[in-house]
Amino acid sequence: QVQLVESGGGLVQPGGSLRLSCIASGFSLDLYAIGWFRQVPGNEREGVSCINNINGSTYYLDTVKGRFTISRDTLKNTVYLEMNKVKPEDAGVYFCATDRWCTIQSGALRPGPYFHTWGPGTRVTVSS
């Protein structure tokens, strides 16, 4: 069964850390660029981070640079988003997406021509 499932969300205090996971089954994530996007009600979907499969290059939204890290574990067929020094504005539903490459337009991560989301995402709540 071909699946891509997000996990790792939850409640975190400001300044805390979370690690989100994007776990694939039935196909290899190494064939795709993987992007993390977040959705907040009333706001447009926002591209947070992306990792290309060919050269491993990465993209980060300016507001998360230096705090978030995206990485791949080929053996586990998983892409992670390590979130550190979390801020209230980081809250939202995070979901991962496959694409042919990380598509950057006007400095922002956008869905590319092969963009595909798979699951409902994982919710991150930031509160003290």
Side-chain angles (χ1 to χ4, degrees):
Q1 185 177 5
V2 177
Q3 279 187 309
L4 188 65
V5 179
E6 305 94 346
S7 65
L11 175 64
V12 59
Q13 292 185 344
S17 298
L18 276 179
R19 187 176 75 165
L20 307 184
S21 300
C22 176
I23 306 170
S25 57
F27 70 102
S28 174
L29 281 182
D30 284 350
L31 298 176
Y32 300 92
I34 303 298
W36 281 99
F37 293 78
R38 68 186 173 202
Q39 183 74 60
V40 177
N43 289 4
E44 290 187 4
R45 179 175 55 195
E46 187 172 46
V48 177
S49 184
C50 189
I51 184 166
N52 277 303
N53 58 317
I54 294 178
N55 58 8
S57 59
T58 57
Y59 162 89
Y60 295 96
L61 181 67
D62 282 348
T63 56
V64 308
K65 283 180 181 177
R67 300 187 296 117
F68 290 12
T69 303
I70 191 170
S71 62
R72 288 180 186 269
D73 186 329
T74 299
L75 291 178
K76 294 183 178 179
N77 210 19
T78 301
V79 169
Y80 300 102
L81 184 68
E82 187 79 34
M83 305 170 63
N84 295 313
K85 300 179 181 178
V86 173
K87 300 178 180 180
E89 53 263 40
D90 296 327
V93 177
Y94 284 72
F95 56 94
C96 55
T98 53
D99 210 334
R100 183 69 65 86
W101 48 75
C102 297
T103 300
I104 311 302
Q105 296 176 346
S106 301
L109 177 64
R110 306 288 187 191
Y114 301 94
F115 178 85
H116 184 67
T117 60
W118 297 75
T122 185
R123 183 178 298 278
V124 173
T125 303
V126 183
S127 176
S128 55

